[in-house]
Amino acid sequence: MKILGISAFYHDAAAALTIDGLPVAAVQEERLSRSKNDPAFPLRAITWCLDHAALEPEDLDAVIFYERPALKFDRVLMTLLRGFPQSWRIFPQAMKNMVGEKLWVRGIISAQLGVPAKRIHFTDHHLSHAAAAFLTAPTQQAAILTADGVGEWATLTVGQARKRSGGPAEISLLREVHFPHSLGLFYSAFTAWLGFPVNEGEYKVMGLAAYGTPRFAGEVRHMLHRTRDGAFALDLGYFDHHRAADAAYSHRFVELFGPPRDRFEPIDPTTPQGRHYADVAASAQCVLEEVIVDIATALRRETGLSDLCLGGGVALNGVANARILRASSFERLFVPPAPGDAGCALGAALWADRILFGQPHRDCPDHPFWGPAVVPTDLARLAAEDGLSCERVGEAELMDRLVDAIGRGAIVGWMEGAAEFGPRALGHRSILADPGDAAMRDRINRDIKFRESFRPFAPVVPADHAETFFELPPGGARLGRFMSGVFPVRPEWRDRLRAVTHVDGTARVQMLEAAMAPRLHALLMAYGRRHGLPVLLNTSFNLAGDPIVTSAAEGYSTFRRAGLDLLVAEDLIVRRDPARQDHSLEAMA
Amino acid sequence: MIRWRAPIDRMVWADPRRRARKLMQFAEVEAQGARDLFRAAEVTPDPHLRRRLFAHARDEVRHAALFRARGLALRRTLADPGPDRALGDGLIPGERGFDRLEVEKESMAALLAFIHLSERAAAHAFAAYGAVLGHDPETRAVIARIARDEEGHMRYSRAELARLAPDQGRRALWIARLRRLWRAYLRLALILADLISRLILTLVYFLLLAPFAWMAKRSARRQAPGWRACVDRSRDGGGGQY
């Protein structure tokens, strides 16, 4: 069967195509529209997926949308009614959003693609998350935990699932927590109060938390308390997400923690004010971890299963993931490379194949590379037109040159094969640099990525060398496969891994197996042979505010804008020429 | 053109809060303009134009930094900087940069004509602001510097239009003018439609929803927070909207 999965209209729209039960293409709309977190109907992504498989829309057996719009409308309307009369300000906007577009998804898909309405199906938002986590994971039986801001009504679900290659697959979600009680929206309130954009700045809260101590944990536990049945509830007096469209926290929240941070002013964790923000972030992180670890532990006891599949936006919190692995007694934790809403496009397509249409399960390839491929000849043309040094070199020589350049402090843009599906650069669209130089971290933050100085960078290491440098709990290697866990750097290596060791001595490490990205693995091994440790700083190949690069032209543009030293696309290497760049290329009419 | 709007500009730029807010908005507009231009540079097949667009985009990045630095400096002098946004976005056409330009969908002639007109509008607007900013020489210096760059951008975009589309340049400019007018009309129409729909929906809210709200609140009181069983949707085949 040919099934197209779509997620759209909230944030981070995406499309994914499966043929006979296996993914063949998946891409976020932002990677093609070049508009970060693009929520629009993903027509570009759909077109690319179909073109990639040489299909026309009429060839599709089914199109599946990742959530149920009518049920979502039910939640929006009910929330407005329950908030009467304080909800009067949000009512017009909410109605225009829902009735103006989001309710008519079947019609939109049918009109845009020309697919008959009867071929368009829907599934639950959290079931899409669960399917994305479970049906792509190399496990036959697992407990399921999904948590995000909100889907239709559910904000968190638990369940279990089983599958057998060539046999049936089954996912059963047992219980759920309903809006407005939400771990994702709880964290988003702190994100907003700290002056970061919601649905984008949650990483920053996690990074900032390492600078603080959770001295407000007691207060935060009042805001997010446990219910007798083992779930949780928010004290809604501190939050506004159920009353206002553009507010996440209430006056009571501000009375408790003080005025929100001015988003235009930088955070300096060394100042008293900066420490206060860091302490609040640490408290929110601490309480989030307590709640999710408790729920996971109870789920482990209830199901008796040793594997846990984790999905939803909360699964992007690598610190919490690592704590779940350490504390919940699950032996393995599977987080897909795109655990957020974009990944729901793939989850929905796989759910439709296995569950809705009852097709036998087929094991999915265990990698994230489902996007458009880089075309090195495009890069060669662009570089030649701009008179930059550009050459094709053999594998051994390329590795040799890169190892030498990175060792001397060069920063490399690395593009290889198909782009990653999901928010993280996992070896095909990366910026690579020396992990040992703290000045390197500051240079990349300040001059290349243009981002806050307190944010850490991630290392990438061959999976079979990870134990040498990082303190991994059992199952840690799996969690590190898609950079989903944060682990301590071994004290004896922290000095030599300064650029990738966060202030609390941890790192969000990617543990790379040779089969997943052989060329990057070979580069790491070559770097290790020359410099003594097979670790590189690996950050996504983009600038602040931009999506990760997809094509050679975007890589080349970012290479020039960021002042990277080298750009590699497959076997092609382009070298920056500072003199030319400063004078002839940038000369204005 | 500058003379008739001087009293309005004087009023707008007299208030330091509004001045700071506008500068921060300009910084965002310039940053978005830079992204559009970098995108245009990525998709253009002409290497010469690509270099020009790239240089222009770098200028926009620099402008964003200048506006932002000055806006932040002004904000720091204020006891209460106020909200980030006024009603709508409060921007007039000359302040909108490339105004949600979809680069991939434009022909090069249309793109250059649009850039030329946008830069011209910006240059005129900045010249007008400079004329009323005598009381704030630092902001005036920033705006004057950027206005000079905008004039350079006007010239290069016109020259590139003449080079790449010698027969279509005049027509492309007229079409771009009409499109800018159409966008201005659409923006106004959308604001009006938004106001009208808000009014109608607010009336609906207060006149019709009260009894349903009472019932919804009553049902909410009966629902304790905590776990709920997941609904089994297999009876509808599992693929419905509800």
Side-chain angles (χ1 to χ4, degrees):
Chain A
M1 294 190 79
K2 301 175 190 74
I3 301 173
L4 179 72
I6 296 173
S7 69
F9 299 131
Y10 186 50
H11 59 89
D12 211 7
L17 180 67
T18 63
I19 297 180
D20 297 333
L22 291 180
V24 293
V27 65
Q28 291 147 270
E29 182 70 1
E30 64 160 30
R31 303 293 164 84
L32 302 173
S33 70
R34 310 309 298 160
S35 169
K36 181 97 171 159
N37 294 329
D38 194 341
F41 183 76
L43 196 56
R44 291 178 182 87
I46 292 168
T47 305
W48 180 80
C49 286
L50 294 177
D51 287 350
H52 182 68
L55 295 178
E56 294 296 326
E58 54 267 31
D59 299 328
L60 293 168
D61 297 296
V63 179
I64 179 140
F65 192 67
Y66 80 124
E67 63 182 13
R68 300 182 196 270
L71 208 54
K72 193 158 196 160
F73 181 61
D74 173 62
R75 188 254 299 164
V76 170
L77 191 58
M78 193 61 82
T79 305
L80 291 166
L81 290 172
R82 287 175 182 176
F84 188 93
Q86 290 95 335
S87 57
W88 73 275
R89 276 199 185 85
I90 183 182
F91 179 78
Q93 191 58 46
M95 285 301 105
K96 281 191 289 176
N97 272 344
M98 289 304 299
V99 181
E101 183 175 49
K102 294 179 180 176
L103 195 53
W104 317 112
V105 171
R106 197 189 292 271
I108 291 170
I109 294 174
S110 186
Q112 293 277 3
L113 302 186
V115 174
K118 65 180 181 189
R119 280 196 222 161
I120 299 166
H121 306 273
F122 300 85
T123 184
D124 293 320
H125 184 107
H126 278 261
L127 207 46
S128 299
H129 280 311
F134 177 68
L135 295 174
T136 59
T139 174
Q140 294 209 326
Q141 205 174 5
I144 303 276
L145 173 55
T146 66
D148 67 0
V150 61
E152 295 89 358
W153 272 103
T155 65
L156 180 143
T157 64
V158 294
Q160 56 186 323
R162 70 180 68 199
K163 64 181 187 244
R164 183 165 51 81
S165 193
E170 181 190 331
I171 300 174
S172 64
L173 296 182
L174 307 169
R175 294 185 302 280
E176 60 193 24
V177 174
H178 274 197
F179 182 87
H181 306 288
S182 162
L183 289 184
L185 293 173
F186 158 82
Y187 209 73
S188 291
F190 286 90
T191 306
W193 181 80
L194 286 164
F196 304 128
V198 169
N199 291 327
E200 171 63 21
E202 281 76 5
Y203 289 110
K204 301 181 187 180
V205 180
M206 194 177 78
L208 184 63
Y211 287 87
T213 52
R215 64 187 171 96
F216 297 107
E219 288 88 336
V220 177
R221 285 189 198 103
H222 281 294
M223 302 165 74
L224 175 64
H225 57 269
R226 310 304 307 282
T227 54
R228 282 186 193 163
D229 59 1
F232 63 88
L234 297 179
D235 181 338
L236 295 171
Y238 290 100
F239 299 91
D240 253 357
H241 57 256
H242 56 303
R243 281 191 291 257
D246 53 356
Y249 53 85
S250 70
H251 291 298
R252 239 173 105 192
F253 190 107
V254 174
E255 281 165 18
L256 185 60
F257 295 120
R261 185 179 78 86
D262 184 342
R263 72 184 175 101
F264 293 114
E265 296 293 344
I267 290 186
D268 180 357
T270 60
T271 63
Q273 189 62 54
R275 271 198 301 278
H276 174 71
Y277 294 135
D279 289 347
V280 173
S283 306
Q285 176 68 28
C286 170
V287 175
L288 174 88
E289 288 172 25
E290 287 171 3
V291 173
I292 204 156
V293 166
D294 258 15
I295 290 171
T297 306
L299 185 62
R300 162 79 169 131
R301 274 199 304 271
E302 180 183 351
T303 60
L305 297 168
S306 57
D307 289 347
L308 174 66
C309 289
L310 193 57
V314 175
L316 287 164
N317 193 312
V319 179
N321 295 347
R323 193 161 158 194
I324 291 172
L325 186 63
R326 277 198 314 271
S328 70
S329 73
F330 278 109
E331 290 168 21
R332 291 190 300 176
L333 189 52
F334 295 93
V335 179
D341 281 4
C344 285
L346 182 57
L350 291 170
W351 177 85
D353 183 78
R354 312 294 199 272
I355 317 273
L356 188 62
F357 299 116
Q359 298 295 305
H361 176 73
R362 293 180 68 186
D363 290 332
C364 293
D366 194 15
H367 66 72
F369 307 121
W370 301 113
V374 66
V375 181
T377 48
D378 290 350
L379 177 60
R381 177 181 57 79
L382 290 166
E385 286 172 355
D386 283 347
L388 289 179
S389 159
C390 166
E391 51 187 320
R392 283 185 186 278
V393 287
E395 184 83 357
E397 192 186 345
L398 178 71
M399 295 299 158
D400 199 48
R401 283 196 200 182
L402 290 177
V403 163
D404 188 47
I406 294 172
R408 283 188 286 105
I411 299 175
V412 176
W414 173 270
M415 305 182 79
E416 186 191 351
E420 294 91 341
F421 181 50
R424 288 179 179 138
L426 295 168
H428 279 195
R429 299 290 186 276
S430 291
I431 292 174
L432 304 172
D434 173 15
D437 186 359
M440 176 67 71
R441 178 193 59 213
D442 297 338
R443 182 187 158 200
I444 298 177
N445 261 334
R446 187 189 59 237
D447 301 337
I448 310 267
K449 302 276 283 189
F450 309 118
R451 63 183 209 176
E452 297 87 349
S453 59
F454 65 82
R455 292 177 63 188
F457 285 107
V460 55
V461 60
D464 41 5
H465 288 69
E467 288 270 14
T468 309
F469 305 100
F470 305 96
E471 292 172 8
L472 303 178
R478 176 66 219 185
L479 194 52
R481 184 178 179 87
F482 300 136
M483 215 189 266
S484 305
V486 173
F487 302 106
V489 180
R490 290 193 185 278
E492 63 270 30
W493 289 102
R494 285 180 192 171
D495 195 46
R496 291 192 65 189
L497 294 172
R498 276 175 303 219
V500 292
T501 303
H502 200 23
V503 66
D504 59 352
T506 62
R508 195 182 58 174
V509 58
Q510 183 193 0
M511 295 165 213
L512 189 70
E513 283 183 6
M516 192 170 109
R519 296 182 74 241
L520 180 57
H521 189 274
L523 177 63
L524 288 166
M525 295 306 290
Y527 191 81
R529 283 192 294 276
R530 178 84 62 88
H531 299 289
L533 69 174
V535 183
L536 287 174
L537 181 155
N538 171 25
T539 186
S540 53
F541 195 170
N542 64 329
L543 302 182
D546 286 352
I548 299 178
V549 303
T550 302
S551 69
E554 291 148 17
Y556 178 72
S557 170
T558 304
F559 160 74
R560 298 249 329 260
R561 290 157 69 185
L564 302 180
D565 300 295
L566 292 167
L567 176 61
V568 177
E570 307 285 3
D571 59 348
L572 195 77
I573 187 163
V574 178
R575 195 176 293 276
R576 183 168 72 107
D577 181 346
R580 286 189 71 88
Q581 185 144 324
D582 288 342
H583 301 296
S584 72
L585 295 186
E586 313 299 52
M588 194 62 210
Chain B
M1 182 176 170
I2 292 173
R3 213 170 292 153
W4 71 260
R5 55 187 268 186
I8 303 169
D9 290 337
R10 198 166 288 119
M11 190 183 72
V12 167
W13 289 89
D15 176 13
R17 275 171 52 162
R18 200 177 297 131
R19 200 153 69 233
R21 189 171 64 220
K22 272 203 158 297
L23 291 170
M24 299 306 282
Q25 280 182 297
F26 289 176
E28 285 177 24
V29 169
E30 295 280 334
Q32 184 53 49
R35 285 193 199 101
D36 290 337
L37 287 164
F38 279 126
R39 186 65 186 150
E42 285 162 12
V43 299
T44 183
D46 184 271
H48 183 73
L49 178 60
R50 183 164 60 244
R51 287 192 280 274
R52 293 284 169 92
L53 291 169
F54 207 89
H56 184 175
R58 290 228 176 201
D59 277 352
E60 302 287 304
V61 171
R62 192 164 44 79
H63 295 172
L66 285 168
F67 277 133
R68 189 180 162 83
R70 182 62 198 142
L72 277 176
L74 268 176
R75 268 181 125 252
R76 287 178 186 138
T77 65
L78 303 170
D80 172 20
D84 293 349
R85 286 273 182 276
L87 180 67
D89 60 12
L91 295 174
I92 63 168
E95 300 170 346
R96 289 187 175 276
F98 305 124
D99 198 7
R100 299 181 187 179
L101 184 64
E102 290 193 70
V103 168
E104 288 98 336
K105 292 183 180 168
E106 306 289 342
S107 69
M108 267 313 134
L111 183 71
L112 285 165
F114 206 86
I115 291 172
H116 176 73
L117 292 179
S118 299
E119 296 295 327
R120 197 167 75 163
H124 285 163
F126 290 154
Y129 303 156
V132 298
L133 275 167
H135 58 290
D136 183 353
E138 283 149 318
T139 303
R140 184 182 193 164
V142 166
I143 285 183
R145 189 171 161 189
I146 292 171
R148 273 198 302 277
D149 286 349
E150 307 293 34
E151 284 168 13
H153 299 154
M154 272 169 63
R155 283 195 295 275
Y156 100 84
S157 51
R158 189 73 181 85
E160 286 297 301
L161 182 60
R163 180 176 74 85
L164 289 168
D167 304 330
Q168 302 165 33
R170 191 176 287 271
R171 186 166 172 269
L173 280 169
W174 272 109
I175 291 172
R177 275 188 199 107
L178 291 173
R179 281 179 63 192
R180 284 173 65 85
L181 268 177
W182 176 242
R183 283 190 186 197
Y185 163 75
L186 278 184
R187 201 172 297 119
L188 187 67
L190 280 172
I191 291 170
L192 277 175
D194 184 58
L195 286 174
I196 293 165
S197 65
R198 271 178 193 278
L199 181 67
I200 292 170
L201 286 165
T202 305
L203 285 172
V204 166
Y205 181 87
F206 283 111
L207 294 177
L208 297 183
L209 292 197
F212 300 104
W214 178 79
M215 285 190 279
K217 285 182 182 198
R218 193 157 163 260
S219 77
R221 274 196 292 274
R222 278 186 267 164
Q223 290 174 343
W227 291 117
R228 286 151 199 260
C230 294
V231 177
D232 178 14
R233 296 185 216 288
S234 54
R235 271 178 299 175
D236 74 343
Q241 289 207 62
Y242 298 92

